[in-house]
Amino acid sequence: MASKIRSAIDFYDRHPISAQIILAKLEATRGTLEGLQPDDLFPHDQDHYGGLAANDALAKAARIGIGSKVVDLCAGLGGPARYLAHRFGAIVTGIELTPARVAGAAELSRRVGLNGQVRMIEGNVMDLPLADASQDAVISQEALLHVPDIARAFAEAHRVLRPGGRIAFTNWVVHRPLPEGQRQLLWDGMAAATLIGIEAHAGLLRAAGFEIEAVEDETPAWGTILGERLRMYEKLRGEAEAAGTPSGHDDFYRSYVLFVDLVQRKEMGGARFTAVKQ
């Protein structure tokens, strides 16, 4: 199928992980959707690399605890937001551009009784609908690659954080320049708008006014994780087609194969960044 990706919304509207497939899988295994608890969702709604341990790493880096006001940039279906609310007692606002994912996240949060602690807002991370100095922490996981102007997103994160507030996120990085053909496929398949290196990320954080505390190269770990995720997606495609839910488009699977190969050859990868607003 020819790709017609114009934005991350086009990509996520067709993404194989959706609220519908999560609920369909849960109903098939449990026999009912009544009485769902947050822990029931966690095997299905954590659409990032490293699962719950990655959430814990960001929570530690951002010093998230009971009552912490947290913003999740490009929050998707809200899996990490619900985990931080349930596990750490945080009050989490998810900012997500895709209307279907905002609605899906809200439904999942309601079904597990977390809609009082987790709210999802349809919005753009380059123009956050939040007050100045109103948040304790900003997080994001493998999502800022979709943002055309990461510098603006960092500036907005700095604006909404209180003094001493922290940003902790993981994102794709490039370790060498990519040929145009590879960049185009990563756009066509996964709406990868901004592919930059570790030092470029660090420079943009400093330009936004942050003091960098830690940068951790996650590339070796991602090589293994992404191979497993590729197999998961191949299985999920058939399950989504059988359930009549979005199953992803052809270029998604082609680009994912390329992405996994590039990471395993350490030409691309990922990093976790932690920085503080002084």
Side-chain angles (χ1 to χ4, degrees):
M1 181 177 67
S3 173
K4 294 182 180 178
I5 290 288
R6 293 162 296 180
S7 72
I9 294 175
D10 295 326
F11 168 55
Y12 281 110
D13 274 343
R14 291 179 276 180
H15 198 278
I17 298 178
S18 63
Q20 300 101 303
I21 191 63
I22 290 170
L23 294 174
K25 288 165 72 74
L26 284 169
E27 188 168 25
T29 56
R30 299 174 78 253
T32 179
L33 292 176
E34 296 300 318
L36 283 176
Q37 299 298 313
D39 287 333
D40 294 320
L41 292 181
F42 296 152
H44 306 284
D45 68 350
Q46 303 296 312
D47 184 21
H48 59 268
Y49 313 153
L52 302 183
N55 295 339
D56 289 336
L58 286 188
K60 181 179 180 180
R63 298 182 184 172
I64 294 169
I66 295 174
S68 294
K69 294 182 179 179
V70 181
V71 182
D72 187 354
L73 303 184
C74 309
L77 290 171
R82 283 185 292 274
Y83 180 80
L84 294 175
H86 178 66
R87 171 69 176 79
F88 294 96
I91 308 301
V92 188
T93 300
I95 307 297
E96 171 56 44
L97 192 63
T98 307
R101 284 181 115 58
V102 173
E107 180 180 5
L108 293 174
S109 297
R110 177 185 60 78
R111 284 184 178 272
V112 298
L114 287 175
N115 48 314
Q117 276 180 265
V118 178
R119 65 170 179 154
M120 295 293 294
I121 297 177
E122 183 182 332
N124 192 321
V125 300
M126 296 182 294
D127 186 17
L128 291 173
L130 299 169
D132 294 359
S134 62
Q135 306 297 315
D136 298 306
V138 173
I139 66 160
S140 185
Q141 294 187 82
E142 296 91 64
L144 295 176
L145 64 111
H146 300 303
V147 178
D149 190 344
I150 293 179
R152 283 181 57 189
F154 288 162
E156 281 292 275
H158 190 274
R159 178 183 64 80
V160 303
L161 282 170
R162 62 169 178 78
R166 305 167 76 80
I167 182 171
F169 66 93
T170 50
N171 198 30
W172 290 14
V173 298
V174 292
H175 295 305
R176 58 109 174 136
L178 298 181
E180 180 57 32
Q182 291 182 342
R183 284 182 172 271
Q184 186 63 50
L185 181 54
L186 292 170
W187 168 260
D188 291 340
M190 290 188 279
T194 302
L195 297 173
I196 59 176
I198 287 176
E199 286 304 315
H201 279 85
L204 292 175
L205 283 166
R206 293 188 188 99
F210 286 104
E211 179 179 322
I212 295 176
E213 183 173 277
V215 178
E216 302 160 85
D217 189 347
E218 293 291 304
T219 301
W222 280 22
T224 300
I225 291 168
L226 286 164
E228 295 170 351
R229 282 178 65 88
L230 177 59
R231 291 186 287 274
M232 177 271 290
Y233 276 127
E234 290 169 344
K235 180 174 182 288
L236 183 59
R237 187 177 199 181
E239 294 173 341
E241 289 172 348
T245 64
S247 59
H249 60 301
D250 292 342
D251 278 339
F252 168 66
Y253 296 96
R254 290 179 57 231
S255 66
Y256 213 94
V257 169
L258 171 64
F259 178 49
V260 172
D261 180 61
L262 290 171
V263 173
Q264 291 180 341
R265 288 193 282 117
K266 297 182 173 59
E267 296 179 22
M268 286 187 67
R272 181 184 300 113
F273 300 83
T274 307
V276 183
K277 176 179 178 177
Q278 296 303 310

PDB file of all heavy atoms in Angstrom, residues 22 26 30 34-45 112:
ATOM      1  N   ILE A  22      -6.271  -3.542  22.527  1.00  0.00           N
ATOM      2  CA  ILE A  22      -5.971  -3.842  23.931  1.00  0.00           C
ATOM      3  C   ILE A  22      -7.206  -4.395  24.629  1.00  0.00           C
ATOM      4  O   ILE A  22      -7.149  -5.432  25.310  1.00  0.00           O
ATOM      5  CB  ILE A  22      -5.456  -2.585  24.654  1.00  0.00           C
ATOM      6  CG1 ILE A  22      -4.057  -2.218  24.152  1.00  0.00           C
ATOM      7  CG2 ILE A  22      -5.434  -2.795  26.168  1.00  0.00           C
ATOM      8  CD1 ILE A  22      -3.562  -0.871  24.635  1.00  0.00           C
ATOM      9  N   LEU A  26      -7.903  -8.216  26.086  1.00  0.00           N
ATOM     10  CA  LEU A  26      -8.259  -8.418  27.490  1.00  0.00           C
ATOM     11  C   LEU A  26      -9.596  -9.153  27.635  1.00  0.00           C
ATOM     12  O   LEU A  26      -9.730 -10.047  28.479  1.00  0.00           O
ATOM     13  CB  LEU A  26      -8.322  -7.071  28.216  1.00  0.00           C
ATOM     14  CG  LEU A  26      -6.974  -6.441  28.548  1.00  0.00           C
ATOM     15  CD1 LEU A  26      -7.159  -5.009  29.024  1.00  0.00           C
ATOM     16  CD2 LEU A  26      -6.240  -7.262  29.614  1.00  0.00           C
ATOM     17  N   ARG A  30      -9.886 -12.575  29.610  1.00  0.00           N
ATOM     18  CA  ARG A  30     -10.569 -12.497  30.900  1.00  0.00           C
ATOM     19  C   ARG A  30     -12.035 -12.905  30.823  1.00  0.00           C
ATOM     20  O   ARG A  30     -12.639 -13.247  31.828  1.00  0.00           O
ATOM     21  CB  ARG A  30     -10.493 -11.074  31.463  1.00  0.00           C
ATOM     22  CG  ARG A  30      -9.089 -10.577  31.728  1.00  0.00           C
ATOM     23  CD  ARG A  30      -9.069  -9.110  32.139  1.00  0.00           C
ATOM     24  NE  ARG A  30      -9.452  -8.916  33.543  1.00  0.00           N
ATOM     25  CZ  ARG A  30     -10.607  -8.416  33.945  1.00  0.00           C
ATOM     26  NH1 ARG A  30     -11.525  -8.061  33.045  1.00  0.00           N
ATOM     27  NH2 ARG A  30     -10.876  -8.263  35.219  1.00  0.00           N
ATOM     28  N   GLU A  34     -15.221  -6.040  32.814  1.00  0.00           N
ATOM     29  CA  GLU A  34     -15.605  -5.507  34.123  1.00  0.00           C
ATOM     30  C   GLU A  34     -14.476  -5.712  35.123  1.00  0.00           C
ATOM     31  O   GLU A  34     -13.760  -6.714  35.088  1.00  0.00           O
ATOM     32  CB  GLU A  34     -16.874  -6.201  34.624  1.00  0.00           C
ATOM     33  CG  GLU A  34     -18.093  -5.956  33.761  1.00  0.00           C
ATOM     34  CD  GLU A  34     -18.456  -4.474  33.660  1.00  0.00           C
ATOM     35  OE1 GLU A  34     -18.397  -3.786  34.710  1.00  0.00           O
ATOM     36  OE2 GLU A  34     -18.765  -4.012  32.551  1.00  0.00           O
ATOM     37  N   GLY A  35     -14.328  -4.739  36.006  1.00  0.00           N
ATOM     38  CA  GLY A  35     -13.369  -4.875  37.090  1.00  0.00           C
ATOM     39  C   GLY A  35     -11.911  -4.778  36.691  1.00  0.00           C
ATOM     40  O   GLY A  35     -11.030  -5.267  37.411  1.00  0.00           O
ATOM     41  N   LEU A  36     -11.620  -4.137  35.563  1.00  0.00           N
ATOM     42  CA  LEU A  36     -10.227  -3.985  35.149  1.00  0.00           C
ATOM     43  C   LEU A  36      -9.437  -3.163  36.163  1.00  0.00           C
ATOM     44  O   LEU A  36      -9.920  -2.158  36.698  1.00  0.00           O
ATOM     45  CB  LEU A  36     -10.147  -3.296  33.782  1.00  0.00           C
ATOM     46  CG  LEU A  36     -10.459  -4.120  32.534  1.00  0.00           C
ATOM     47  CD1 LEU A  36     -10.412  -3.211  31.306  1.00  0.00           C
ATOM     48  CD2 LEU A  36      -9.481  -5.271  32.384  1.00  0.00           C
ATOM     49  N   GLN A  37      -8.203  -3.579  36.403  1.00  0.00           N
ATOM     50  CA  GLN A  37      -7.281  -2.864  37.269  1.00  0.00           C
ATOM     51  C   GLN A  37      -6.102  -2.366  36.438  1.00  0.00           C
ATOM     52  O   GLN A  37      -5.816  -2.910  35.357  1.00  0.00           O
ATOM     53  CB  GLN A  37      -6.784  -3.777  38.390  1.00  0.00           C
ATOM     54  CG  GLN A  37      -7.875  -4.303  39.290  1.00  0.00           C
ATOM     55  CD  GLN A  37      -8.603  -3.185  40.035  1.00  0.00           C
ATOM     56  OE1 GLN A  37      -7.945  -2.286  40.597  1.00  0.00           O
ATOM     57  NE2 GLN A  37      -9.924  -3.220  40.028  1.00  0.00           N
ATOM     58  N   PRO A  38      -5.399  -1.336  36.915  1.00  0.00           N
ATOM     59  CA  PRO A  38      -4.250  -0.841  36.145  1.00  0.00           C
ATOM     60  C   PRO A  38      -3.264  -1.933  35.756  1.00  0.00           C
ATOM     61  O   PRO A  38      -2.758  -1.958  34.625  1.00  0.00           O
ATOM     62  CB  PRO A  38      -3.621   0.182  37.089  1.00  0.00           C
ATOM     63  CG  PRO A  38      -4.768   0.695  37.903  1.00  0.00           C
ATOM     64  CD  PRO A  38      -5.656  -0.496  38.110  1.00  0.00           C
ATOM     65  N   ASP A  39      -3.004  -2.873  36.677  1.00  0.00           N
ATOM     66  CA  ASP A  39      -2.049  -3.948  36.383  1.00  0.00           C
ATOM     67  C   ASP A  39      -2.494  -4.819  35.215  1.00  0.00           C
ATOM     68  O   ASP A  39      -1.654  -5.439  34.554  1.00  0.00           O
ATOM     69  CB  ASP A  39      -1.852  -4.826  37.614  1.00  0.00           C
ATOM     70  CG  ASP A  39      -1.040  -4.135  38.692  1.00  0.00           C
ATOM     71  OD1 ASP A  39      -0.218  -3.258  38.357  1.00  0.00           O
ATOM     72  OD2 ASP A  39      -1.225  -4.471  39.885  1.00  0.00           O
ATOM     73  N   ASP A  40      -3.796  -4.882  34.960  1.00  0.00           N
ATOM     74  CA  ASP A  40      -4.288  -5.667  33.823  1.00  0.00           C
ATOM     75  C   ASP A  40      -3.847  -5.052  32.498  1.00  0.00           C
ATOM     76  O   ASP A  40      -3.645  -5.771  31.510  1.00  0.00           O
ATOM     77  CB  ASP A  40      -5.818  -5.762  33.851  1.00  0.00           C
ATOM     78  CG  ASP A  40      -6.344  -6.545  35.041  1.00  0.00           C
ATOM     79  OD1 ASP A  40      -5.728  -7.574  35.390  1.00  0.00           O
ATOM     80  OD2 ASP A  40      -7.363  -6.124  35.624  1.00  0.00           O
ATOM     81  N   LEU A  41      -3.729  -3.727  32.470  1.00  0.00           N
ATOM     82  CA  LEU A  41      -3.363  -3.036  31.235  1.00  0.00           C
ATOM     83  C   LEU A  41      -1.872  -3.088  30.947  1.00  0.00           C
ATOM     84  O   LEU A  41      -1.457  -3.072  29.783  1.00  0.00           O
ATOM     85  CB  LEU A  41      -3.796  -1.569  31.288  1.00  0.00           C
ATOM     86  CG  LEU A  41      -5.288  -1.256  31.276  1.00  0.00           C
ATOM     87  CD1 LEU A  41      -5.492   0.254  31.315  1.00  0.00           C
ATOM     88  CD2 LEU A  41      -5.956  -1.846  30.047  1.00  0.00           C
ATOM     89  N   PHE A  42      -1.048  -3.130  31.974  1.00  0.00           N
ATOM     90  CA  PHE A  42       0.378  -2.907  31.779  1.00  0.00           C
ATOM     91  C   PHE A  42       1.059  -3.879  30.816  1.00  0.00           C
ATOM     92  O   PHE A  42       2.009  -3.472  30.116  1.00  0.00           O
ATOM     93  CB  PHE A  42       1.104  -2.888  33.123  1.00  0.00           C
ATOM     94  CG  PHE A  42       0.692  -1.744  34.015  1.00  0.00           C
ATOM     95  CD1 PHE A  42       0.760  -1.858  35.398  1.00  0.00           C
ATOM     96  CD2 PHE A  42       0.225  -0.550  33.476  1.00  0.00           C
ATOM     97  CE1 PHE A  42       0.378  -0.807  36.224  1.00  0.00           C
ATOM     98  CE2 PHE A  42      -0.173   0.511  34.293  1.00  0.00           C
ATOM     99  CZ  PHE A  42      -0.089   0.373  35.676  1.00  0.00           C
ATOM    100  N   PRO A  43       0.636  -5.129  30.696  1.00  0.00           N
ATOM    101  CA  PRO A  43       1.266  -5.983  29.678  1.00  0.00           C
ATOM    102  C   PRO A  43       0.930  -5.572  28.248  1.00  0.00           C
ATOM    103  O   PRO A  43       1.552  -6.070  27.306  1.00  0.00           O
ATOM    104  CB  PRO A  43       0.694  -7.375  29.988  1.00  0.00           C
ATOM    105  CG  PRO A  43       0.234  -7.311  31.397  1.00  0.00           C
ATOM    106  CD  PRO A  43      -0.264  -5.909  31.574  1.00  0.00           C
ATOM    107  N   HIS A  44      -0.044  -4.673  28.073  1.00  0.00           N
ATOM    108  CA  HIS A  44      -0.545  -4.353  26.740  1.00  0.00           C
ATOM    109  C   HIS A  44      -0.374  -2.889  26.329  1.00  0.00           C
ATOM    110  O   HIS A  44      -0.345  -2.587  25.132  1.00  0.00           O
ATOM    111  CB  HIS A  44      -2.041  -4.690  26.653  1.00  0.00           C
ATOM    112  CG  HIS A  44      -2.369  -6.096  27.038  1.00  0.00           C
ATOM    113  ND1 HIS A  44      -2.128  -7.172  26.204  1.00  0.00           N
ATOM    114  CD2 HIS A  44      -2.901  -6.609  28.179  1.00  0.00           C
ATOM    115  CE1 HIS A  44      -2.526  -8.286  26.800  1.00  0.00           C
ATOM    116  NE2 HIS A  44      -2.984  -7.976  27.995  1.00  0.00           N
ATOM    117  N   ASP A  45      -0.294  -1.968  27.290  1.00  0.00           N
ATOM    118  CA  ASP A  45      -0.404  -0.538  26.937  1.00  0.00           C
ATOM    119  C   ASP A  45       0.908   0.234  27.050  1.00  0.00           C
ATOM    120  O   ASP A  45       0.914   1.462  26.973  1.00  0.00           O
ATOM    121  CB  ASP A  45      -1.468   0.139  27.809  1.00  0.00           C
ATOM    122  CG  ASP A  45      -1.083   0.255  29.280  1.00  0.00           C
ATOM    123  OD1 ASP A  45      -0.065  -0.346  29.688  1.00  0.00           O
ATOM    124  OD2 ASP A  45      -1.813   0.934  30.036  1.00  0.00           O
ATOM    125  N   VAL A 112      -9.948   1.737  34.393  1.00  0.00           N
ATOM    126  CA  VAL A 112      -9.170   1.260  35.543  1.00  0.00           C
ATOM    127  C   VAL A 112      -9.193   2.255  36.703  1.00  0.00           C
ATOM    128  O   VAL A 112      -8.410   2.132  37.649  1.00  0.00           O
ATOM    129  CB  VAL A 112      -7.716   0.937  35.136  1.00  0.00           C
ATOM    130  CG1 VAL A 112      -7.701  -0.183  34.100  1.00  0.00           C
ATOM    131  CG2 VAL A 112      -6.987   2.166  34.606  1.00  0.00           C
TER     132      VAL A 112
END
